[in-house]
Coordinates of all heavy atoms in Angstrom, one line a residue:
M1323 N 116.5 130.3 92.5 CA 116.3 128.9 92.7 C 117.2 128.1 91.8 O 116.8 127.0 91.5 CB 114.8 128.5 92.6 CG 113.9 129.3 93.5 SD 113.8 128.4 95.0 CE 112.1 127.8 95.0
E1324 N 118.3 128.7 91.4 CA 119.2 128.0 90.5 C 119.7 126.7 91.1 O 120.0 125.7 90.4 CB 120.4 128.9 90.2 CG 121.3 128.4 89.2 CD 120.7 128.4 87.8 OE1 119.8 129.1 87.5 OE2 121.2 127.5 87.0
Y1325 N 119.8 126.6 92.5 CA 120.4 125.4 93.1 C 119.5 124.2 92.9 O 120.0 123.1 93.0 CB 120.6 125.7 94.6 CG 119.3 126.0 95.4 CD1 118.6 125.0 96.0 CD2 118.9 127.3 95.5 CE1 117.5 125.3 96.7 CE2 117.8 127.6 96.3 CZ 117.0 126.6 96.8 OH 115.9 126.9 97.6
L1326 N 118.2 124.4 92.6 CA 117.3 123.2 92.4 C 117.7 122.4 91.1 O 117.4 121.2 91.1 CB 115.9 123.7 92.2 CG 115.2 124.3 93.5 CD1 113.8 124.8 93.2 CD2 115.2 123.2 94.6
K1327 N 118.4 123.0 90.2 CA 118.9 122.3 89.0 C 120.0 121.3 89.4 O 120.3 120.4 88.6 CB 119.4 123.3 88.0 CG 118.3 124.2 87.4 CD 118.9 125.1 86.4 CE 117.7 126.0 85.8 NZ 118.3 127.0 84.9
Q1328 N 120.6 121.5 90.5 CA 121.7 120.6 90.9 C 121.3 119.5 91.8 O 122.1 118.6 92.1 CB 122.8 121.4 91.7 CG 123.4 122.5 90.9 CD 124.3 123.4 91.8 OE1 124.8 123.0 92.8 NE2 124.5 124.6 91.4
V1329 N 120.0 119.4 92.1 CA 119.5 118.3 92.9 C 119.4 117.1 92.1 O 118.9 117.2 90.9 CB 118.1 118.7 93.5 CG1 117.5 117.6 94.3 CG2 118.3 119.9 94.5
D1330 N 119.7 115.9 92.6 CA 119.6 114.7 91.9 C 118.2 114.2 92.0 O 117.8 113.2 92.7 CB 120.6 113.7 92.5 CG 120.6 112.3 91.8 OD1 119.9 112.2 90.7 OD2 121.3 111.4 92.2
W1331 N 117.3 114.8 91.2 CA 115.9 114.4 91.2 C 115.6 113.0 90.8 O 114.7 112.3 91.2 CB 115.1 115.4 90.4 CG 115.1 116.8 90.9 CD1 115.7 117.9 90.4 CD2 114.5 117.3 92.2 NE1 115.6 119.0 91.2 CE2 114.9 118.6 92.3 CE3 113.8 116.7 93.2 CZ2 114.5 119.4 93.3 CZ3 113.4 117.5 94.3 CH2 113.8 118.8 94.3
R1332 N 116.4 112.5 89.9 CA 116.3 111.1 89.4 C 116.4 110.1 90.5 O 115.6 109.2 90.6 CB 117.3 110.8 88.3 CG 117.0 109.5 87.6 CD 117.9 109.4 86.4 NE 117.6 110.5 85.5 CZ 118.2 110.7 84.4 NH1 119.1 109.8 83.9 NH2 117.9 111.7 83.6
T1333 N 117.4 110.3 91.4 CA 117.5 109.4 92.5 C 116.4 109.6 93.5 O 115.9 108.6 94.0 CB 118.9 109.7 93.2 OG1 119.9 109.4 92.3 CG2 119.1 108.8 94.4
I1334 N 116.0 110.8 93.8 CA 114.9 111.0 94.7 C 113.6 110.4 94.3 O 112.9 109.8 95.1 CB 114.7 112.6 94.9 CG1 115.9 113.1 95.7 CG2 113.4 112.9 95.6 CD1 116.0 114.6 95.9
T1335 N 113.4 110.3 93.0 CA 112.1 109.7 92.6 C 112.1 108.2 92.7 O 111.1 107.6 92.5 CB 111.8 110.1 91.1 OG1 112.9 109.7 90.3 CG2 111.6 111.6 90.9
T1336 N 113.3 107.6 93.0 CA 113.3 106.2 93.2 C 112.8 105.8 94.6 O 112.6 104.6 94.9 CB 114.7 105.6 93.0 OG1 115.6 106.1 93.9 CG2 115.1 105.9 91.6
Y1337 N 112.7 106.7 95.5 CA 112.3 106.5 96.9 C 110.8 106.7 97.1 O 110.1 107.4 96.3 CB 113.0 107.5 97.9 CG 114.5 107.2 98.0 CD1 115.4 107.8 97.1 CD2 114.9 106.5 99.1 CE1 116.7 107.5 97.3 CE2 116.3 106.3 99.3 CZ 117.2 106.8 98.4 OH 118.5 106.6 98.6
T1338 N 110.3 106.0 98.1 CA 108.8 106.1 98.5 C 108.7 106.4 100.0 O 109.4 105.7 100.7 CB 108.1 104.9 98.1 OG1 108.3 104.6 96.7 CG2 106.6 105.0 98.4
N1339 N 107.9 107.3 100.4 CA 107.6 107.6 101.8 C 108.8 107.9 102.6 O 109.0 107.4 103.7 CB 106.8 106.4 102.4 CG 105.5 106.2 101.9 OD1 104.8 107.2 101.7 ND2 105.0 105.0 101.6
S1340 N 109.7 108.7 102.0 CA 110.9 109.1 102.7 C 110.9 110.6 102.9 O 110.1 111.4 102.3 CB 112.1 108.7 101.9 OG 112.2 107.3 101.8
I1341 N 111.9 111.1 103.7 CA 112.0 112.5 103.9 C 113.4 112.9 103.4 O 114.4 112.3 103.7 CB 111.9 112.9 105.4 CG1 110.5 112.5 105.9 CG2 112.2 114.4 105.6 CD1 110.3 112.6 107.4
F1342 N 113.5 114.0 102.6 CA 114.8 114.5 102.1 C 115.0 115.9 102.6 O 114.1 116.7 102.6 CB 114.7 114.6 100.6 CG 114.7 113.2 99.9 CD1 113.4 112.6 99.7 CD2 115.8 112.6 99.5 CE1 113.4 111.3 99.1 CE2 115.7 111.3 98.9 CZ 114.5 110.7 98.7
I1343 N 116.2 116.1 103.2 CA 116.6 117.4 103.6 C 117.7 117.8 102.7 O 118.8 117.3 102.7 CB 117.0 117.4 105.1 CG1 115.8 116.9 105.9 CG2 117.4 118.8 105.5 CD1 116.1 116.6 107.3
I1344 N 117.4 118.8 101.8 CA 118.4 119.2 100.8 C 119.0 120.5 101.2 O 118.3 121.5 101.4 CB 117.6 119.4 99.4 CG1 117.1 118.0 99.0 CG2 118.6 119.9 98.3 CD1 116.2 118.0 97.8
N1345 N 120.3 120.5 101.2 CA 121.1 121.7 101.6 C 121.1 122.7 100.4 O 121.6 122.3 99.3 CB 122.6 121.2 101.9 CG 123.4 122.4 102.3 OD1 123.0 123.5 102.3 ND2 124.7 122.1 102.7
K1346 N 120.7 123.9 100.6 CA 120.6 124.9 99.5 C 122.0 125.2 99.0 O 122.1 125.4 97.8 CB 120.0 126.1 100.1 CG 119.9 127.3 99.2 CD 119.3 128.5 99.8 CE 119.6 129.7 99.0 NZ 119.3 131.0 99.7
D1347 N 123.0 125.2 99.8 CA 124.3 125.6 99.3 C 125.1 124.4 98.6 O 126.0 124.7 97.8 CB 125.2 126.1 100.5 CG 124.6 127.4 101.1 OD1 124.1 128.2 100.3 OD2 124.7 127.5 102.3
K1348 N 124.7 123.2 99.0 CA 125.3 122.0 98.3 C 124.2 121.0 98.0 O 124.1 120.0 98.7 CB 126.3 121.4 99.2 CG 127.6 122.2 99.4 CD 128.6 121.4 100.2 CE 129.9 122.2 100.4 NZ 130.9 121.4 101.1
P1349 N 123.4 121.3 97.0 CA 122.2 120.5 96.8 C 122.5 119.0 96.4 O 121.7 118.2 96.5 CB 121.4 121.2 95.7 CG 122.4 122.2 95.1 CD 123.4 122.4 96.1
E1350 N 123.7 118.8 96.0 CA 124.1 117.4 95.6 C 124.3 116.6 96.9 O 124.4 115.3 96.8 CB 125.4 117.4 94.7 CG 126.6 117.9 95.4 CD 126.8 119.4 95.5 OE1 125.9 120.1 95.0 OE2 127.8 119.8 95.9
E1351 N 124.4 117.2 98.0 CA 124.5 116.5 99.3 C 123.2 116.7 100.1 O 122.8 117.8 100.3 CB 125.7 117.1 100.1 CG 127.0 117.0 99.5 CD 128.1 117.7 100.3 OE1 127.9 118.1 101.4 OE2 129.2 117.8 99.7
Y1352 N 122.6 115.6 100.4 CA 121.3 115.7 101.1 C 121.2 114.6 102.1 O 121.9 113.6 102.0 CB 120.1 115.7 100.2 CG 120.1 114.6 99.1 CD1 119.6 113.4 99.4 CD2 120.6 114.8 97.8 CE1 119.6 112.4 98.5 CE2 120.6 113.9 96.9 CZ 120.1 112.6 97.2 OH 120.1 111.6 96.2
V1353 N 120.3 114.8 103.1 CA 120.0 113.8 104.1 C 118.8 113.1 103.7 O 117.8 113.7 103.3 CB 119.9 114.4 105.5 CG1 119.5 113.4 106.5 CG2 121.1 115.2 105.9
V1354 N 118.8 111.7 103.8 CA 117.6 110.9 103.5 C 117.1 110.2 104.8 O 117.9 109.5 105.4 CB 117.8 109.9 102.4 CG1 116.6 109.1 102.1 CG2 118.4 110.5 101.2
L1355 N 115.9 110.4 105.2 CA 115.3 109.6 106.3 C 114.4 108.6 105.7 O 113.3 108.9 105.3 CB 114.6 110.6 107.3 CG 115.4 111.7 107.8 CD1 114.5 112.7 108.6 CD2 116.6 111.3 108.6
L1356 N 114.8 107.4 105.6 CA 114.1 106.3 104.9 C 112.9 105.9 105.8 O 113.0 105.5 106.9 CB 114.9 105.1 104.6 CG 116.1 105.4 103.7 CD1 117.0 104.1 103.6 CD2 115.6 105.7 102.3
H1357 N 111.7 105.9 105.2 CA 110.5 105.4 105.8 C 110.3 105.9 107.2 O 109.9 105.2 108.1 CB 110.4 103.9 105.8 CG 110.6 103.3 104.4 ND1 109.7 103.4 103.4 CD2 111.7 102.7 103.8 CE1 110.1 102.9 102.3 NE2 111.3 102.5 102.5
H1358 N 110.7 107.1 107.4 CA 110.6 107.7 108.8 C 109.2 108.1 109.1 O 108.4 108.4 108.2 CB 111.5 109.0 108.8 CG 111.8 109.5 110.1 ND1 111.0 110.4 110.8 CD2 112.8 109.3 111.0 CE1 111.4 110.7 111.9 NE2 112.6 110.1 112.1
N1359 N 108.9 108.2 110.3 CA 107.6 108.6 110.8 C 107.5 110.1 110.4 O 108.2 110.9 111.0 CB 107.4 108.4 112.3 CG 106.1 108.9 112.8 OD1 105.2 109.5 112.0 ND2 105.8 108.7 114.0
K1360 N 106.6 110.5 109.4 CA 106.6 111.8 108.9 C 105.7 112.8 109.7 O 105.7 114.0 109.5 CB 106.2 111.8 107.5 CG 107.2 111.1 106.6 CD 106.8 111.2 105.1 CE 105.6 110.2 104.9 NZ 105.3 110.1 103.5
Q1361 N 105.1 112.2 110.7 CA 104.2 113.1 111.6 C 105.1 114.2 112.2 O 106.1 113.9 112.8 CB 103.6 112.2 112.6 CG 102.5 112.9 113.4 CD 101.7 112.0 114.3 OE1 102.2 110.9 114.6 NE2 100.6 112.3 114.7
G1362 N 104.7 115.4 112.1 CA 105.4 116.5 112.7 C 106.4 117.2 111.8 O 106.8 118.3 112.1
F1363 N 106.7 116.6 110.7 CA 107.7 117.2 109.8 C 107.1 118.3 109.0 O 107.8 119.1 108.4 CB 108.4 116.1 108.9 CG 109.6 115.5 109.5 CD1 109.5 114.4 110.3 CD2 110.8 116.0 109.2 CE1 110.6 113.9 110.9 CE2 112.0 115.5 109.7 CZ 111.9 114.4 110.6
E1364 N 105.8 118.4 108.9 CA 105.2 119.5 108.1 C 105.5 120.8 108.8 O 105.4 121.8 108.1 CB 103.7 119.2 108.0 CG 103.3 118.0 107.3 CD 103.3 116.7 108.1 OE1 103.4 116.8 109.4 OE2 103.3 115.6 107.6
D1365 N 105.7 120.9 110.1 CA 105.8 122.1 110.8 C 107.2 122.4 111.3 O 107.4 123.4 112.0 CB 104.8 122.1 111.9 CG 103.4 122.0 111.4 OD1 103.1 122.6 110.4 OD2 102.6 121.4 112.1
I1366 N 108.2 121.6 111.1 CA 109.5 121.8 111.7 C 110.1 123.0 111.1 O 110.0 123.3 110.0 CB 110.4 120.6 111.7 CG1 110.9 120.3 110.3 CG2 109.8 119.4 112.4 CD1 112.0 119.3 110.2
Q1367 N 110.9 123.7 111.9 CA 111.7 124.9 111.5 C 113.2 124.5 111.3 O 113.9 125.1 110.5 CB 111.5 126.0 112.4 CG 110.1 126.5 112.6 CD 109.5 126.9 111.3 OE1 110.1 127.7 110.6 NE2 108.3 126.5 110.9
V1368 N 113.7 123.6 112.2 CA 115.1 123.2 112.2 C 115.2 121.7 112.3 O 114.4 121.1 113.1 CB 115.8 123.9 113.4 CG1 117.2 123.4 113.5 CG2 115.8 125.4 113.3
Y1369 N 116.1 121.1 111.6 CA 116.3 119.7 111.7 C 117.8 119.5 112.1 O 118.7 120.2 111.6 CB 116.1 118.9 110.4 CG 116.5 117.5 110.5 CD1 115.7 116.6 111.2 CD2 117.7 117.0 109.9 CE1 116.1 115.2 111.3 CE2 118.1 115.7 110.0 CZ 117.2 114.8 110.7 OH 117.6 113.5 110.8
V1370 N 118.1 118.7 113.1 CA 119.4 118.4 113.6 C 119.8 117.0 113.2 O 119.2 116.1 113.5 CB 119.5 118.6 115.1 CG1 120.9 118.3 115.6 CG2 119.1 119.9 115.6
D1371 N 120.9 116.9 112.4 CA 121.5 115.7 112.0 C 122.7 115.4 112.8 O 123.7 116.1 112.6 CB 121.8 115.7 110.5 CG 122.3 114.4 109.9 OD1 121.7 113.4 110.4 OD2 123.1 114.4 109.0
Y1372 N 122.6 114.4 113.7 CA 123.8 114.1 114.5 C 124.5 112.9 114.0 O 123.9 111.8 113.7 CB 123.3 113.8 116.0 CG 124.4 113.4 116.9 CD1 125.3 114.4 117.3 CD2 124.6 112.1 117.4 CE1 126.4 114.1 118.2 CE2 125.6 111.8 118.2 CZ 126.5 112.8 118.6 OH 127.6 112.5 119.4
D1373 N 125.8 113.0 113.7 CA 126.7 112.0 113.2 C 127.4 111.3 114.4 O 128.3 111.9 115.0 CB 127.7 112.5 112.2 CG 128.6 111.5 111.6 OD1 128.6 110.3 112.1 OD2 129.2 111.8 110.6
Q1374 N 127.0 110.1 114.7 CA 127.6 109.4 115.9 C 129.1 109.1 115.7 O 129.8 109.1 116.6 CB 126.8 108.2 116.2 CG 125.4 108.5 116.7 CD 124.6 107.2 117.1 OE1 125.0 106.1 116.6 NE2 123.6 107.4 117.9
D1375 N 129.5 108.8 114.5 CA 130.8 108.4 114.2 C 131.8 109.6 114.5 O 132.8 109.4 115.1 CB 131.0 108.0 112.8 CG 130.2 106.7 112.5 OD1 130.0 105.9 113.4 OD2 129.9 106.5 111.3
S1376 N 131.5 110.8 114.0 CA 132.3 111.9 114.2 C 131.9 112.8 115.4 O 132.6 113.7 115.7 CB 132.4 112.8 112.9 OG 131.1 113.3 112.7
E1377 N 130.8 112.4 116.0 CA 130.2 113.2 117.1 C 130.1 114.6 116.8 O 130.4 115.5 117.6 CB 131.1 112.9 118.4 CG 131.1 111.5 118.8 CD 131.9 111.3 120.1 OE1 132.5 112.3 120.7 OE2 131.9 110.2 120.6
T1378 N 129.5 114.9 115.6 CA 129.2 116.3 115.2 C 127.8 116.4 114.9 O 127.1 115.4 114.6 CB 130.1 116.7 114.0 OG1 129.8 115.8 112.9 CG2 131.6 116.7 114.3
A1379 N 127.3 117.6 114.9 CA 125.9 117.9 114.6 C 125.8 118.9 113.5 O 126.6 119.9 113.5 CB 125.1 118.3 115.8
A1380 N 124.9 118.8 112.6 CA 124.6 119.8 111.6 C 123.2 120.2 111.8 O 122.3 119.4 112.0 CB 124.8 119.2 110.2
Y1381 N 123.0 121.5 111.7 CA 121.6 122.1 111.9 C 121.2 122.6 110.5 O 121.9 123.3 109.8 CB 121.7 123.3 112.9 CG 122.2 122.8 114.2 CD1 123.5 122.8 114.5 CD2 121.2 122.5 115.2 CE1 123.9 122.4 115.8 CE2 121.6 122.1 116.5 CZ 123.0 122.0 116.7 OH 123.4 121.6 118.0
Y1382 N 119.9 122.2 110.2 CA 119.3 122.6 108.9 C 118.1 123.5 109.2 O 117.2 123.0 109.8 CB 118.9 121.4 108.1 CG 120.1 120.5 107.6 CD1 120.6 119.5 108.4 CD2 120.6 120.8 106.4 CE1 121.6 118.7 108.0 CE2 121.7 120.0 105.9 CZ 122.2 119.0 106.7 OH 123.2 118.2 106.3
R1383 N 118.2 124.7 108.8 CA 117.0 125.7 108.9 C 116.2 125.5 107.7 O 116.6 125.7 106.6 CB 117.5 127.1 109.1 CG 116.4 128.1 109.4 CD 116.9 129.4 109.8 NE 117.8 130.0 108.7 CZ 117.3 130.7 107.7 NH1 116.0 131.0 107.6 NH2 118.1 131.2 106.8
I1384 N 114.9 125.1 107.9 CA 114.0 124.7 106.8 C 113.5 126.0 106.1 O 113.0 126.9 106.8 CB 112.8 123.9 107.3 CG1 113.3 122.7 108.1 CG2 111.9 123.5 106.1 CD1 114.3 121.8 107.3
L1385 N 113.7 126.1 104.8 CA 113.3 127.3 104.1 C 112.0 127.0 103.3 O 111.1 127.9 103.3 CB 114.4 127.7 103.0 CG 115.7 127.9 103.6 CD1 116.7 128.1 102.4 CD2 115.7 129.2 104.5
E1386 N 111.9 125.9 102.7 CA 110.7 125.5 101.9 C 110.4 124.1 102.0 O 111.2 123.2 102.3 CB 110.9 125.9 100.4 CG 111.0 127.3 100.2 CD 111.2 127.6 98.7 OE1 110.3 127.1 97.9 OE2 112.1 128.3 98.3
R1387 N 109.1 123.7 101.8 CA 108.6 122.3 101.9 C 107.9 122.0 100.6 O 107.3 122.8 100.0 CB 107.6 122.1 103.0 CG 108.2 122.3 104.4 CD 107.1 122.5 105.4 NE 107.6 122.6 106.7 CZ 108.2 123.7 107.2 NH1 108.4 124.7 106.5 NH2 108.7 123.7 108.4
A1388 N 108.1 120.7 100.2 CA 107.4 120.2 99.0 C 107.1 118.7 99.2 O 107.7 118.1 100.1 CB 108.3 120.4 97.8
A1389 N 106.2 118.2 98.4 CA 105.9 116.8 98.5 C 105.8 116.3 97.1 O 105.6 117.0 96.1 CB 104.6 116.5 99.2
D1390 N 106.0 114.9 96.9 CA 105.8 114.4 95.6 C 104.7 113.3 95.6 O 104.1 113.0 96.7 CB 107.1 113.9 95.0 CG 107.6 112.7 95.7 OD1 106.9 112.1 96.6 OD2 108.8 112.3 95.5
K1391 N 104.4 112.7 94.5 CA 103.3 111.8 94.4 C 103.6 110.4 95.0 O 102.7 109.6 95.1 CB 102.9 111.6 92.9 CG 102.3 112.8 92.3 CD 102.0 112.6 90.8 CE 101.5 113.9 90.2 NZ 101.2 113.8 88.8
K1392 N 104.9 110.2 95.4 CA 105.3 108.9 96.0 C 105.3 109.0 97.5 O 105.8 108.1 98.2 CB 106.6 108.5 95.4 CG 106.6 108.3 93.9 CD 107.9 107.8 93.4 CE 107.9 106.4 93.2 NZ 109.1 105.8 92.7
G1393 N 104.8 110.0 98.1 CA 104.7 110.2 99.5 C 106.0 110.7 100.2 O 106.1 110.7 101.4
N1394 N 106.9 111.2 99.4 CA 108.1 111.8 99.9 C 107.9 113.3 100.3 O 107.1 114.0 99.7 CB 109.3 111.8 98.8 CG 109.7 110.4 98.5 OD1 109.9 109.5 99.3 ND2 109.8 110.2 97.2
I1395 N 108.6 113.6 101.4 CA 108.6 115.0 101.8 C 110.0 115.6 101.5 O 111.0 115.0 101.8 CB 108.3 115.2 103.3 CG1 106.9 114.7 103.6 CG2 108.5 116.6 103.8 CD1 106.5 114.8 105.1
I1396 N 110.0 116.7 100.8 CA 111.3 117.3 100.4 C 111.4 118.7 101.2 O 110.5 119.5 101.0 CB 111.3 117.5 98.9 CG1 111.2 116.1 98.3 CG2 112.6 118.2 98.5 CD1 110.9 116.2 96.8
L1397 N 112.4 118.8 102.0 CA 112.6 120.0 102.7 C 113.9 120.7 102.2 O 115.0 120.1 102.3 CB 112.8 119.7 104.2 CG 111.6 118.9 104.9 CD1 112.0 118.5 106.3 CD2 110.4 119.8 104.9
L1398 N 113.8 121.9 101.7 CA 114.9 122.7 101.3 C 115.4 123.5 102.5 O 114.6 124.2 103.1 CB 114.5 123.6 100.1 CG 114.0 122.8 98.9 CD1 113.4 123.8 97.9 CD2 115.0 121.9 98.3
A1399 N 116.7 123.5 102.7 CA 117.2 124.0 104.0 C 118.6 124.7 103.8 O 119.3 124.5 102.8 CB 117.3 122.9 105.0
E1400 N 118.9 125.6 104.7 CA 120.2 126.1 104.9 C 120.9 125.4 106.0 O 120.4 125.2 107.1 CB 120.2 127.6 105.2 CG 119.9 128.5 104.0 CD 120.0 130.0 104.4 OE1 119.7 130.3 105.6 OE2 120.3 130.7 103.5
K1401 N 122.1 124.9 105.7 CA 122.9 124.2 106.7 C 123.7 125.1 107.6 O 124.3 126.0 107.1 CB 123.8 123.2 106.0 CG 124.6 122.3 107.0 CD 125.4 121.3 106.2 CE 126.2 120.4 107.2 NZ 127.0 119.4 106.4
E1402 N 123.6 125.0 108.9 CA 124.3 125.8 109.9 C 125.0 124.8 110.8 O 124.5 124.0 111.4 CB 123.3 126.6 110.7 CG 122.5 127.6 109.8 CD 121.4 128.2 110.6 OE1 121.2 128.0 111.8 OE2 120.6 129.0 110.0
E1403 N 126.3 125.0 110.8 CA 127.2 124.1 111.7 C 127.6 124.8 112.9 O 127.8 126.0 113.0 CB 128.3 123.6 110.9 CG 127.8 122.7 109.8 CD 129.0 122.0 109.1 OE1 129.8 121.4 109.8 OE2 129.0 122.0 107.9

């Protein structure tokens, strides 16, 4: 779990009620879903991030889940393109 040391935890703790999808291979790059409806995120296996500008999709296979005291959900994932 060495990659967890590379996560910008200080920035993450400034958010409330958000969802973070952290790429295991590049933990400094993560997706933030601000104040998103979190219902159903407890059980997801894959998250698809579609970029409308470049018309590309990134698939994140969820490996682990965590939560913090500020209502954030943190999903550690492997990115598959």
